[in-house]
């Protein structure tokens, strides 16, 4: 319908799972800005941080009930309800990165399988989309350096989603906490080590105050994305153009988010190294190899459930074809970097 | 009326006391975690989950038990000074206007919340141990129902007080050390006075 | 009415209702739901089901859709969601465990032993009995996080002894009221856990931060008692010859060892493991709870009856504290949704306060709230209102927490709700009047203010230990 003069704007109440100061709140704000600009102000986004209405892990309930119109979170946060949640961003790595997985969501069977999971299997009243293919997540923060898995066996380590099962199987004692509680938990002695997501968020949490060894590179969460959930009734109540704006702003914000991430994450990594007193390491190859083996074991366990098997089958056949093309085609970027910035990388 | 009050009191205390014993399990369970970590270097993954489930169950279910013993905090510095029938009138009104709507909301919204958790057989999101929490979410409904029944008993207490001019006390129960000592002191004073009079 | 006006109204009505004496947890829940119903009111949502019915719908179906419409308000889901957040709060898990530990220890006949031994050991210093009473209280405070029991136990034990030794009644009562209240300040303190949960700050750091100020306050109490006794010997006469048994030094040492050591071991294990980062407060509390049981066995005070008492009281007191949280979570969520927090912070900002005047004003308000109210209500309901202001004035929430904890010592000693004074009045000989008790408490209030001033002037009293342990 054409906009009616004097029509009052629709307010969309959207809560994130992030503290107000986190860079991810800025990314959610980029989404909100796009929605407001493209709708000419017909939609106003009331963007709230974690805890404003419900806790970080409870946004999916609140959106389904209508307590929130929308949420900005990650699907790993509700994997206590259904472990298949984790396959949308923190699942096994068959050779795909997050951009590849996001492509599976939009061009492969991803959206259809997600709808089947949340609507048919779980009976939730939500419509979901994925944005911002994240860079692989670092293995994380440790109080002292290590060479192999046996050095850190038994440590209490924080991660989320299927990565909890993965690392538990690799001999860590895993706890899953919301981002804002990690550093207090390190202080309280509940944790020995943790990963959150990226140099900027980690710096913002004060990771450098509780641990000084930062390990980059890991297969535990190498293709995560933001999960946007909308209350289905709220979506249905909108005019077609506004609904399209909400959906396609996810795609638009994806580009803006990635640009912000690349700029900010890299700058904060430098800050951590130069001013934060942090030693940056590359995660030992042996640990990453063990991660792949651990994924293999976990996959066979997960596949006992029908919906998980179907999601994994779909991802595997998608990756087999698309990543073959990507990898066969990719030039050696590392060689180019080394050529122009010799002796910089510490791999 | 008195029969119902006694029934509600004992129902609330039975549930409250039964769940109270979880404190022993909780001490031992969390204590075991410390032992496993330092002695055997193999901490459990479920300790965090189990400790909040026990803590939450204890206090939620004990809500009605505490109400039956008048143990919830109240700003009663003025209230104490009022004539007993004024106390009962104010309490009666506030039970009807404040207490029951809140407790009913807890029961019905809690029901919806718990039912959904049962549908997914939801597990705790804090560890990979897969500790179930759907039963724990049902505790909200249980606590609401117990509070509702105990609330009815409290309303009847107000009515008795308005009619007969006295507060029907709950039956004897464990007392805080200070209350126990206060009661003993008061009793011995009465005895002293009686002796003086005879 | 605009939303912020509504928020202020909400707070105003709440304070009025508090004075009516209804259990506060339920008042908070009801007010949160009532105002929240308005705040989240959405006519579309309310009549959605009714609107979807077509002509074929029966009257029952229409009625139930109509009735259901009234409950189609987001506040209800929010309420349950917030309640679950309290139920799964990982800081508050330490509350029942520390309570249980305290209840076990207070049933282990430790107080009598400690007091008797210390009384003999201290007999040569001025105001010896008062000093022994305060030392007993301070030691006991490091094993227990609650108040009532110490005041009554000491009131039964030390007060008659002091009166018999011709101590001034006010002076003796003040010592016991003030000393007995230390338990809620010196770690492990339930009050600090509750503050930690209300303000989302680390309980471990709070414990480390409160250690020196708590001991400083206890020290000032002792200095005051000794000073008064020197200046005015008539209010605390030296024990007459033979009044206190003469005991050989080795035997005295043995008495000290047997009455101290088990308790000291428990305290060290609990506080040491928390401060040293070996265990979380919850884990340390569980060790303390098990230790409390062992201690009761050691002192041959363990009976089935006492264990049951401790278990049931733990459940009741935990329920009292945590239901307040259930109420305050939904209340403050709606309050801030309506913009109440913003109104308050804008109002305070418009007053152009300096950080110091802000601190003084905030502490003055908390002090005044402490006359009619108890600590739990003040921390769970009113402290969250101050918290957003701390950031504006750049006050560290841990520093603020320690000041609040010190300040709330006074809430036990100031009428009309002076719990320590009432406990003492209840068990004291009938000729001890309430006015005398209050009079005796006044100098100790002054010591609290002096300690607060010292903490402000020397913030290292607060920050030294957290810095050593956690490098903050
Ligand atoms: Na204490
Ligand atoms: Na008071």
């Amino acid at each position: 319908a054409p906009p009616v003069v004097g029509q009052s704007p629709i307010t969309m109440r959207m809560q994130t799972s992030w503290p107000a100061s986190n860079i991810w709140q800025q990314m959610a704000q980029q989404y909100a800005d796009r929605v407001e600009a493209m709708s000419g102000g017909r939609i106003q986004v009331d963007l709230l941080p974690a805890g404003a209405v419900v806790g970080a892990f409870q946004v999916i309930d609140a959106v389904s009930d209508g307590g929130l119109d929308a949420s900005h979170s990650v699907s790993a946060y509700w994997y206590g309800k259904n472990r298949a949640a984790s396959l949308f961003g923190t699942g096994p790595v068959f050779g795909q990165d997050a951009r590849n997985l996001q492509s599976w969501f939009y061009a492969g069977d991803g959206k259809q399988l997600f709808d089947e999971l949340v609507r048919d299997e779980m009976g939730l009243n939500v419509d979901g989309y994925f944005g911002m293919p994240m860079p692989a997540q670092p293995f994380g923060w440790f109080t002292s350096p290590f060479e192999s898995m046996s050095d850190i066996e038994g440590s209490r380590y924080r991660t989320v989603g299927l990565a909890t099962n993965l690392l538990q199987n690799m001999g860590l004692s895993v706890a899953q906490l919301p981002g804002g509680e990690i550093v207090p938990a390190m202080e309280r002695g509940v944790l020995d080590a943790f990963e959150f997501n990226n140099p900027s968020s980690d710096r913002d949490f004060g990771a450098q105050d509780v641990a000084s060894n930062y390990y980059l590179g890991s297969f535990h969460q190498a293709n995560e994305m933001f999960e946007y959930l909308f209350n289905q009734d709220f979506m249905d109540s909108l005019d077609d153009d506004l609904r399209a704006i909400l959906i396609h702003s996810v795609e638009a914000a994806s580009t803006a988010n990635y640009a912000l991430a690349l700029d900010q994450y890299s700058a904060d990594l430098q800050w951590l190294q130069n001013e934060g007193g942090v030693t940056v390491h590359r995660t030992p190859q042996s640990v990453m190899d063990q991660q792949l083996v651990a994924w293999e074991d976990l996959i066979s366990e997960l596949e006992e459930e029908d919906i998980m098997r179907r999601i994994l089958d779909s991802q595997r056949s998608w990756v087999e074809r698309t990543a073959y093309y990507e990898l066969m085609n990719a030039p050696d970027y590392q060689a180019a970097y080394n050529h122009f910035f010799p002796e910089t990388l510490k791999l | 009326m008195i029969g119902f009050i006694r029934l509600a009191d004992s129902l609330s205390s039975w549930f409250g006391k039964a769940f109270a014993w979880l404190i022993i399990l909780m001490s031992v369970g969390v204590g075991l975690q410390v032992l496993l970590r330092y002695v055997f270097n193999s901490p459990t993954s479920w300790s965090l989950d189990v400790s909040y489930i026990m803590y939450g169950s204890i206090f939620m279910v004990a809500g009605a038990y505490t109400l039956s013993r008048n143990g919830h905090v109240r700003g009663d510095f003025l209230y104490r000074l009022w004539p007993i029938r004024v106390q009962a009138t104010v309490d009666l009104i506030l039970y009807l206007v404040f207490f029951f709507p809140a407790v009913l909301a807890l029961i019905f919204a809690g029901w919806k919340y718990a039912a959904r958790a049962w549908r997914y057989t939801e597990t705790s999101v804090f560890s990979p141990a897969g500790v179930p929490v759907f039963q724990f979410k049902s505790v909200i409904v249980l606590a609401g129902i117990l509070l509702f029944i105990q609330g009815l008993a409290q309303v009847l207490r107000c009515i008795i007080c308005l009619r007969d001019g006295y507060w029907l006390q709950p039956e004897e129960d464990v007392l805080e050390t200070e209350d126990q000592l206060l009661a003993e002191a008061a009793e011995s004073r009465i005895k002293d006075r009686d002796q003086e009079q005879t | 009415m605009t939303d912020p006006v509504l928020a202020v109204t909400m707070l105003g009505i709440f304070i009025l209702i508090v004075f009516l004496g209804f259990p506060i947890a339920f008042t908070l829940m009801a007010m949160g739901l009532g105002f929240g119903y308005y705040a989240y009111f959405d006519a579309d949502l309310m009549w959605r089901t009714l609107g979807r019915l077509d002509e074929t719908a029966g009257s029952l179906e229409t009625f139930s859709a109509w009735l259901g419409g009234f409950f189609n308000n987001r506040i209800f889901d929010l309420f349950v969601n917030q309640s679950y957040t309290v139920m799964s709060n990982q800081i508050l898990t330490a509350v029942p465990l520390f309570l249980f530990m305290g209840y076990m220890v207070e049933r282990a006949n430790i107080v009598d032993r400690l007091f008797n031994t210390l009384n003999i050991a201290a007999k040569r210093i001025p105001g010896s009995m008062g000093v022994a009473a305060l030392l007993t209280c301070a030691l006991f405070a490091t094993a227990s996080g609650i108040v009532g029991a110490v005041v009554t136990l000491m009131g039964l034990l030390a007060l008659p002894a002091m009166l018999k030794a011709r101590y001034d009644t006010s002076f003796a009562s003040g010592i016991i009221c003030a000393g007995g209240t230390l338990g809620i300040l010196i770690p492990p303190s339930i009050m600090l856990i509750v503050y930690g949960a209300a303000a989302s700050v680390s309980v471990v750091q709070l414990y480390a931060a409160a250690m020196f100020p708590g001991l400083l306050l206890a020290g000032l109490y002792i200095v005051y008692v000794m000073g008064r006794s020197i200046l005015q010997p008539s209010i605390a006469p030296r024990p007459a010859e033979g009044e206190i048994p003469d005991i050989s030094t080795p035997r005295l040492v043995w008495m000290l060892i047997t009455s101290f050591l088990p308790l000291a071991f428990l305290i060290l294990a609990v506080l040491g493991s928390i401060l040293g980062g070996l265990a979380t407060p919850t884990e340390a509390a569980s060790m303390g709870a098990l230790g409390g049981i062992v201690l009761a066995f050691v002192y041959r005070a363990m009976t089935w009856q006492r264990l049951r008492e401790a278990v049931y009281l733990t459940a009741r007191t935990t329920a009292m504290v945590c239901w307040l949280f259930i109420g305050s979570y939904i209340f403050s969520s709606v309050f801030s949704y309506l913009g109440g927090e913003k109104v308050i912070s804008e109002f305070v900002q418009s007053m152009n306060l300096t950080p110091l005047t802000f601190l003084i004003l905030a502490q003055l308000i908390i002090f005044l709230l402490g006359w009619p109210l108890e600590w739990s209500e003040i921390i769970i309901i009113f402290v969250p209102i101050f918290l957003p202001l701390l950031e504006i004035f750049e006050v560290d929430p841990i520093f603020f927490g320690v000041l609040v904890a010190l300040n709330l010592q006074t809430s036990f000693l100031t009428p009309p709700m002076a719990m320590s004074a009432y406990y003492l009045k209840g068990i004291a000989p009938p000729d001890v009047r309430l006015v005398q008790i209050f009079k005796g408490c006044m100098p100790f209030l002054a010591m609290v203010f002096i300690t607060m001033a010292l903490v402000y002037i020397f913030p290292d009293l607060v920050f030294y230990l957290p810095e050593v342990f956690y490098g903050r």
Side-chain angles (χ1 to χ4, degrees):
Chain A
V4 181
V5 178
Q7 189 182 11
S8 66
I10 293 163
T11 301
M12 178 170 84
R13 185 161 302 129
M14 181 180 213
Q15 192 198 295
T16 71
S17 295
W18 334 118
S21 61
N22 196 283
I23 187 169
W24 287 1
Q25 192 72 12
Q26 280 180 54
M27 295 186 187
Q29 188 62 52
Q30 289 181 321
Y31 171 77
D33 292 344
R34 275 153 189 72
V35 168
E36 289 178 358
M38 287 193 246
S39 69
R42 284 157 66 213
I43 300 182
Q44 296 291 325
V45 184
D46 183 9
L47 186 69
L48 303 162
V53 178
V54 291
F57 286 167
Q58 285 156 339
V59 288
I60 189 169
D61 286 338
V63 172
S64 178
D65 290 339
L68 294 168
D69 301 317
S71 65
H72 186 271
S73 185
V74 287
S75 40
Y77 278 9
W78 50 269
Y79 113 125
K81 299 187 197 303
N82 194 317
R83 290 205 294 177
S86 203
L87 300 182
F88 294 85
T90 52
V93 182
F94 301 113
Q96 82 278 30
D97 62 8
R99 270 175 301 186
N100 183 298
L101 195 73
Q102 192 186 30
S103 309
W104 166 75
F105 184 82
Y106 287 107
D109 305 328
K111 170 67 178 157
Q112 185 203 328
L113 285 162
F114 186 75
D115 287 347
E116 186 187 331
L117 172 66
V118 292
R119 292 185 194 163
D120 305 343
E121 191 101 341
M122 300 175 65
L124 295 167
N125 188 30
V126 299
D127 189 15
Y129 297 90
F130 286 85
M132 165 64 179
M134 299 179 190
Q137 305 185 24
F139 194 40
W141 296 83
F142 293 78
T143 43
S144 44
F146 62 90
E147 300 289 325
S148 67
M149 272 316 289
S150 59
D151 294 345
I152 50 173
E153 214 161 288
S155 302
R156 288 162 304 165
Y157 176 85
R158 180 270 181 194
T159 182
V160 289
L162 273 180
T164 58
N165 302 66
L166 184 82
L167 294 162
Q168 183 85 11
N169 292 351
M170 290 174 69
L172 296 178
S173 166
V174 179
Q176 176 158 335
L177 301 175
E181 290 180 23
I182 299 172
V183 167
M186 290 285 286
E187 284 169 349
R188 275 187 278 147
V190 186
L191 290 177
D192 303 315
F194 69 95
E195 63 84 43
F196 179 69
N197 190 277
N198 63 76
S200 300
S201 302
D202 293 359
R203 175 188 169 182
D204 182 56
F205 284 133
Q208 65 280 3
D209 298 335
V210 290
S212 59
N213 294 281
Y214 194 20
Y215 282 81
L216 300 184
S218 177
F219 283 123
H220 76 285
Q221 284 178 297
N223 44 37
E224 196 165 26
M225 300 166 285
F226 287 139
E227 177 190 69
Y228 291 75
L229 294 177
F230 301 91
N231 177 277
Q232 187 66 60
D233 297 333
F234 173 75
M235 275 304 221
D236 292 345
S237 73
L238 295 175
D239 293 340
D240 291 345
D241 59 339
L242 293 184
R243 192 179 318 120
I245 288 173
L246 289 186
I247 294 170
H248 298 308
S249 290
V250 176
E251 298 161 15
S254 233
T255 306
N257 287 170
Y258 195 83
L260 175 65
L262 211 52
D263 185 24
Q264 201 60 49
Y265 290 4
S266 58
D268 281 316
L269 183 65
Q270 281 198 336
W271 182 91
L272 286 169
Q273 263 177 309
N274 300 337
E275 317 198 10
V278 172
T279 312
V280 172
H281 309 261
R282 177 85 179 162
T283 302
Q285 189 59 43
S286 68
V287 172
M288 288 201 267
D289 291 343
Q290 277 168 284
Q291 287 178 330
L292 290 178
V293 177
W295 267 125
E296 212 175 340
D297 298 342
L298 193 55
I299 288 168
S300 51
E301 183 195 320
L302 296 175
E303 280 181 334
E304 286 164 20
E305 271 175 62
D306 173 63
I307 182 131
M308 291 219 245
R309 187 182 39 73
R310 286 190 293 119
I311 296 173
L312 285 168
D313 281 346
S314 166
Q315 287 182 350
R316 234 179 330 228
S317 70
W318 169 268
V319 171
E320 192 177 14
R321 169 166 62 90
T322 57
Y324 176 84
Y325 160 70
E326 282 186 312
L327 294 169
M328 281 300 283
N329 183 51
D332 190 346
Y333 288 110
Q334 202 176 302
Y337 189 95
N338 282 334
H339 181 80
F340 290 102
F341 311 104
E343 288 164 34
T344 311
L345 291 178
K346 285 175 238 138
L347 290 171
Chain B
M1 241 175 352
I2 294 184
F4 179 82
I5 296 176
R6 294 280 178 242
L7 186 73
D9 280 0
S10 46
L11 186 74
S12 298
S13 4
W14 189 87
F15 271 97
K17 288 175 176 178
F19 274 74
W21 287 102
L22 288 176
I23 189 69
I24 304 282
L25 223 61
M26 186 176 172
S27 310
V28 173
V30 182
L32 197 68
Q33 149 86 3
V34 180
L35 187 78
L36 286 173
R37 182 163 82 232
Y38 287 110
V39 181
F40 302 105
N41 194 27
S42 64
T44 59
S45 59
W46 42 260
S47 155
L48 210 66
D49 296 319
V50 168
S51 65
Y52 80 78
I53 288 175
M54 291 194 179
Y55 136 83
S57 306
I58 292 172
F59 93 79
M60 285 298 280
V61 174
Y65 171 42
T66 308
L67 183 65
S68 77
R69 308 291 148 174
N70 198 12
H72 284 290
V73 193
R74 47 208 301 180
D76 57 356
F77 60 99
L78 291 176
Y79 178 94
R80 294 160 173 238
L81 309 173
W82 296 339
I84 201 164
R85 285 202 164 88
V86 177
Q87 293 182 347
T89 313
V90 171
D91 270 3
L92 184 60
I93 294 170
L94 292 177
Y95 267 109
L96 297 179
V97 179
F98 277 2
F99 181 86
F100 286 108
V103 167
L104 284 172
L106 202 62
I107 296 174
F108 288 109
W111 180 271
K112 186 172 147 199
Y113 190 65
R116 196 168 42 210
W118 279 85
R119 204 164 64 224
Y120 322 134
T121 51
E122 186 165 354
T123 55
S124 171
V125 80
F126 295 113
S127 79
V131 175
V133 292
F134 55 91
Q135 84 296 0
F136 180 49
K137 290 189 168 177
S138 319
V139 164
I140 300 176
V141 182
L142 175 63
I145 292 173
L146 289 171
L147 275 172
F148 184 82
I149 296 171
Q150 189 62 47
L152 288 178
Q154 301 304 95
V155 162
L156 292 181
R157 280 196 159 96
C158 293
I159 292 172
I160 289 179
C161 181
L162 282 173
R163 195 186 61 190
D164 303 338
Y166 74 99
W167 282 115
L168 181 67
Q169 296 302 323
E171 269 164 19
E172 227 174 74
D173 191 31
V174 293
L175 291 175
E176 299 268 359
T177 306
E178 57 270 27
D179 294 332
Q180 173 111 40
L181 296 174
L182 291 178
E184 282 166 14
E187 208 165 283
S188 73
R189 248 174 245 169
I190 292 170
K191 251 184 232 153
D192 289 350
R193 206 183 48 208
D194 290 351
Q195 273 168 358
E196 275 167 31
Q197 280 168 356
T198 50
Chain C
M1 236 193 260
T2 63
D3 282 357
V5 172
L6 204 64
V8 174
T9 314
M10 181 182 178
L11 192 62
I13 296 180
F14 168 69
I15 292 172
L16 280 181
I17 305 270
V18 165
F19 291 159
L20 294 182
F22 197 67
I24 291 175
F26 302 111
T27 309
L28 286 164
M29 281 160 60
M31 301 221 27
L33 282 167
F35 280 82
Y37 193 92
Y38 171 86
Y40 284 93
F41 184 79
D42 177 348
D44 285 352
L45 188 67
M46 187 163 171
W47 303 123
R48 189 170 287 159
T49 328
L50 195 66
R52 279 195 193 140
L53 294 180
D54 50 24
E55 300 84 51
T56 59
S59 59
L60 185 69
E61 213 175 332
T62 314
F63 177 73
S64 76
W66 182 81
L67 189 68
F70 281 100
F71 296 100
N72 256 347
N73 187 303
R74 295 162 175 179
I75 187 66
F76 297 114
D77 297 311
L78 182 62
F79 175 44
V80 176
N81 231 312
Q82 294 283 31
S83 303
Y84 188 70
T85 308
V86 177
M87 291 165 69
S88 53
N89 184 307
Q90 290 172 4
I91 296 176
L92 292 175
T93 48
V95 168
L97 292 166
F98 272 129
L99 283 172
F100 183 62
M101 170 183 169
Y103 284 127
M104 281 317 293
V105 174
E106 74 186 33
R107 277 166 177 65
N109 304 337
I110 289 175
V111 172
D112 335 18
R113 273 166 197 271
L114 273 179
F115 177 68
N116 290 333
T117 314
L118 285 168
N119 198 15
I120 297 168
K123 71 178 178 182
R124 295 197 196 291
I125 51 176
S128 62
M129 228 178 240
V131 173
L134 282 172
L135 278 175
T136 309
C137 288
L139 270 170
F140 197 77
T142 53
S144 164
I146 35 188
V147 165
V150 192
V151 175
T152 44
L153 289 171
M154 290 300 286
L156 280 176
L157 192 73
L159 185 68
M162 283 193 271
L163 294 180
K164 199 170 146 220
R166 296 171 310 281
Y167 272 53
D168 176 74
T169 309
S170 280
F171 188 58
S173 324
I175 290 173
I176 289 176
C177 285
T181 310
L182 286 170
I184 198 120
L185 169 66
I186 297 175
S189 140
I190 298 296
M191 179 158 78
L192 292 173
I193 301 179
V194 170
Y195 180 87
S200 339
V201 296
S202 149
V203 174
V204 177
Q205 294 203 3
L206 272 173
Y207 275 7
M211 209 66 207
F212 283 152
L215 295 177
L216 175 67
L217 181 64
L220 279 184
Y221 284 173
I222 291 172
V223 169
Y224 164 74
V225 166
M226 285 169 58
R228 260 313 279 279
S229 310
I230 294 170
L231 295 173
Q232 208 182 339
S234 66
I235 65 166
R238 278 175 186 274
E241 207 49 49
E243 198 169 5
I244 290 176
D246 261 319
I247 284 179
S248 65
T249 313
R251 199 169 129 63
L252 184 64
V253 170
W254 176 244
M255 277 174 69
L256 280 171
I257 289 174
T258 53
S259 56
F260 266 140
L261 218 54
L263 184 63
F265 184 74
L266 183 68
I267 294 165
L268 269 182
V270 171
L271 288 184
S273 64
I274 297 177
L275 297 179
L278 299 177
T280 66
T282 305
E283 289 169 347
S286 77
M287 300 309 278
L290 296 174
I293 296 178
V294 173
L295 205 69
F297 268 115
V298 170
Y299 286 119
R300 304 215 176 86
M302 185 66 179
T303 64
W304 182 237
Q305 174 65 19
R306 282 182 172 146
L307 181 68
R308 270 177 41 201
E309 285 173 7
V311 167
Y312 298 159
L313 290 174
T314 300
R316 260 159 49 181
T317 311
T318 311
M320 179 203 92
V321 171
C322 296
W323 277 90
L324 262 186
F325 268 101
I326 297 255
S328 99
Y329 264 51
I330 186 66
F331 183 92
S332 50
S333 155
V334 171
F335 181 71
S336 77
Y337 184 83
L338 288 169
E341 252 172 41
K342 224 166 131 195
V343 176
I344 290 185
S345 81
E346 276 165 10
F347 174 71
V348 172
Q349 272 174 304
S350 74
M351 292 163 67
N352 283 323
L353 300 172
T354 65
L356 177 61
T357 48
F358 162 74
L359 263 186
I360 293 175
L361 190 68
Q363 297 297 333
L364 186 70
I365 292 172
I366 289 171
F367 172 70
L368 293 178
L369 286 172
W371 287 62
L373 299 179
E374 289 174 48
W375 69 269
S376 52
E377 304 147 54
I378 296 174
I379 290 200
I380 299 175
I381 301 155
F382 291 98
V383 164
I385 296 178
F386 285 110
L387 285 171
L389 301 173
L390 298 184
E391 213 168 306
I392 300 173
F393 292 102
E394 293 179 348
V395 177
D396 186 296
I398 289 186
F399 185 72
F400 190 74
V402 172
L403 285 180
V404 170
L406 279 167
N407 196 343
L408 286 180
Q409 290 283 295
T410 65
S411 74
F412 290 88
L413 310 174
T414 48
M417 289 302 286
M419 292 323 292
S420 291
Y422 293 157
Y423 291 138
L424 189 65
K425 170 64 188 157
I427 45 92
D431 50 332
V432 175
R433 285 173 301 129
L434 205 50
V435 182
Q436 289 177 307
I437 300 179
F438 285 138
K439 190 175 153 235
C441 289
M442 289 305 142
F444 291 94
L445 293 187
M447 295 300 128
V448 173
F449 300 139
I450 293 174
T451 310
M452 288 173 70
L454 286 173
V455 163
Y456 179 79
I457 299 167
F458 306 106
D460 273 350
L461 283 168
V462 170
F463 292 121
Y464 179 74
L465 278 186
E467 222 149 82
V468 167
F469 285 119
Y470 316 110
R472 93 188 275 282

